[in-house]
Amino acid sequence: MEKSNVVVLEGNFKADGLKIGAVCARFNDFFVNRLLEGAKDTFVRHGGKLEDITVAYVPGSYEIPFAVKKLLQTGKFDAVIALGVVIQGATPHAGYINSEVAKSLCQLGLESGTPVTYGMITAEDIEQAIERSGTKAGNKGVDAMNAAIEMANLSKVIK
Ligand code: RBF
């Protein structure tokens, strides 16, 4: 994109020195662990240190926003990522969990002024969950960490 003559504010992908909080649901941990591994690998490959990632575990995706809020309240993190997997076929109220969690996470980011990124898989079935946690449809934990790094650095630039 042509960038001359305009003032551009954007976040780079340097993770060195950034502090990241991660909230992981234990439900479907087989997949959530893959998301967390992807997120950690991404952070390190962008220059971050593993000891700068703090992971909080919650029982299921429904509890993720609560722990995100608690991490944000510490004021210690440049961004918080949310990692969970809700599988439609096995979860009658999947749509309800997904929409509530997405709405709450967005709200928490806006209210706190610290970026919160969405590393949730909402899958129709186990096969889709496999595809989105590190096989043919990528890894949503990687995407969430990339977004967290970019948004944390954008926040610093706008300040
Ligand atoms: N949590 C998830 O993170 N993913 C799920 O797919 C999921 N499915 C659930 C299905 C049922 C029938 C129930 C009762 C809970 C499920 N949960 C799931 C857990 C939920 O997010 C929460 O931890 C519990 O309902 C306790 O508040």
Side-chain angles (χ1 to χ4, degrees):
M1 194 197 299
E2 176 60 63
K3 289 184 179 173
S4 59
N5 300 325
V6 298
V7 177
V8 175
L9 300 173
E10 59 188 355
N12 63 35
F13 284 97
K14 291 179 188 154
D16 185 25
L18 293 182
K19 304 249 184 295
I20 303 290
V23 178
C24 293
R26 291 186 200 279
F27 206 102
N28 290 324
D29 69 340
F30 181 83
F31 300 111
V32 179
N33 287 340
R34 298 301 311 148
L35 301 184
L36 180 60
E37 285 311 307
K40 283 159 59 182
D41 181 58
T42 301
F43 189 66
V44 169
R45 287 197 293 127
H46 286 302
K49 294 181 194 63
L50 278 181
E51 57 266 33
D52 286 331
I53 300 178
T54 299
V55 184
Y57 287 95
V58 295
S61 294
Y62 189 76
E63 285 77 29
I64 288 177
F66 180 87
V68 168
K69 181 169 185 165
K70 299 298 272 186
L71 289 182
L72 289 168
Q73 283 174 340
T74 68
K76 289 183 179 165
F77 301 103
D78 297 297
V80 175
I81 67 173
L83 305 178
V85 176
V86 180
I87 300 176
Q88 210 91 263
T91 311
H93 53 300
Y96 174 71
I97 293 184
N98 291 334
S99 63
E100 286 305 309
V101 171
K103 223 183 319 163
S104 302
L105 292 175
C106 183
Q107 198 61 32
L108 287 167
L110 294 175
E111 280 167 5
S112 66
T114 296
V116 174
T117 68
Y118 189 77
M120 306 285 303
I121 292 177
T122 57
E124 301 273 330
D125 50 33
I126 297 267
E127 194 176 339
Q128 265 191 4
I130 293 171
E131 285 173 7
R132 296 171 188 182
S133 57
T135 59
K136 75 177 183 193
N139 180 318
K140 298 297 172 212
V142 169
D143 298 345
M145 183 59 84
N146 272 322
I149 295 167
E150 182 174 353
M151 290 302 292
N153 288 325
L154 175 66
S155 293
K156 289 180 195 287
V157 168
I158 293 177
K159 270 178 199 159

